[in-house]
Amino acid sequence: MRWLVLLVGFYILTANDAVCQNWPDSDADGVPDKKDACQYSRAGLRVDASGCARKAAMTNLCLRTLNGGFFPESCTQISSNQVKFDFARADILFSQRVVIERISEWLESVPARLMLVGHTDSVGDEAFNRPLSLMRASNVKQVLVDEFNFAPSRFDVKGVGSVEPIADNKSMSGRALNRRVEFFVVF
């Protein structure tokens, strides 16, 4: 009886694999060409079930400028657009890609340059934290350039280490908020 169950299970797995192999996905968006209404979408683009680009929930962003103002000037509340990081790490978490996608969609409609400013929490000394914060900003820039095809000249990067916290570094949750990359509009 066990052999029969194993044999049937193996047959189902190989049959599903064969069916999936007959459904190519040319643009690697996760939607087979047979069902893809937008077969030539850009690699890494977030798509809906039809294979077409999904619109971000917020394309009208309000960002700070380097001189302390808002961009656009008409906005009154800063949009939450910070890429968060794990402790002592500079690799971009999958959960943070939605922030980068939102920024990329905004950049497609606004011809602005951005300063990407990396931050750390206060754990460790500045000899470690400052380069880590710069690496975080550089990694976000690299994703915007490599995966979203923006010109590198649209971004400046800066690492400030732990000198500009937005939360108390005495608590674990505060330190987590301080490990971030922020976006500023450059004129």
Side-chain angles (χ1 to χ4, degrees):
M1 184 68 167
R2 276 190 192 177
W3 288 104
L4 181 59
V5 170
L6 288 173
L7 185 60
V8 169
F10 177 75
Y11 174 77
I12 290 171
L13 287 175
T14 55
N16 282 342
D17 191 40
V19 169
C20 291
Q21 289 176 1
N22 291 331
W23 287 47
D25 181 13
S26 309
D27 56 2
D29 63 0
V31 178
D33 292 346
K34 251 182 186 179
K35 297 184 177 226
D36 200 334
C38 301
Q39 285 188 9
Y40 304 105
S41 58
R42 183 178 71 221
L45 188 67
R46 221 174 174 166
V47 298
D48 59 19
S50 69
C52 295
R54 279 186 16 193
K55 297 293 179 199
M58 179 176 21
T59 55
N60 296 325
L61 300 181
C62 182
L63 299 179
R64 286 187 290 169
T65 63
L66 289 177
N67 63 5
F70 295 138
F71 184 87
E73 290 181 6
S74 61
C75 67
T76 57
Q77 184 174 359
I78 298 297
S79 304
S80 178
N81 294 303
Q82 299 174 352
V83 178
K84 305 290 187 193
F85 293 85
D86 280 340
F87 175 71
R89 302 293 303 259
D91 52 320
I92 297 172
L93 301 167
F94 183 75
S95 64
Q96 298 302 298
R97 294 197 55 85
V98 69
V99 175
I100 297 173
E101 288 172 5
R102 188 178 310 130
I103 291 290
S104 73
E105 287 189 10
W106 182 80
L107 283 168
E108 287 176 1
S109 62
V110 178
R113 280 185 53 233
L114 293 180
M115 168 72 76
L116 284 59
V117 181
H119 301 269
T120 65
D121 58 29
S122 64
V123 177
D125 60 19
E126 282 304 301
F128 176 79
N129 285 338
R130 193 165 297 268
L132 176 61
S133 64
L134 179 60
M135 179 65 74
R136 288 173 174 170
S138 297
N139 286 352
V140 171
K141 174 184 177 178
Q142 202 64 47
V143 169
L144 287 164
V145 170
D146 290 348
E147 295 182 28
F148 294 96
N149 301 316
F150 291 106
S153 60
R154 289 193 68 182
F155 309 101
D156 296 318
V157 294
K158 178 179 173 183
V160 297
S162 63
V163 298
E164 296 178 13
I166 58 170
D168 186 357
N169 272 303
K170 293 178 183 173
S171 70
M172 187 181 293
S173 61
R175 288 190 298 273
L177 291 172
N178 290 330
R179 297 188 298 263
R180 70 198 187 279
V181 166
E182 295 178 298
F183 302 91
F184 294 88
V185 176
V186 178
F187 293 105

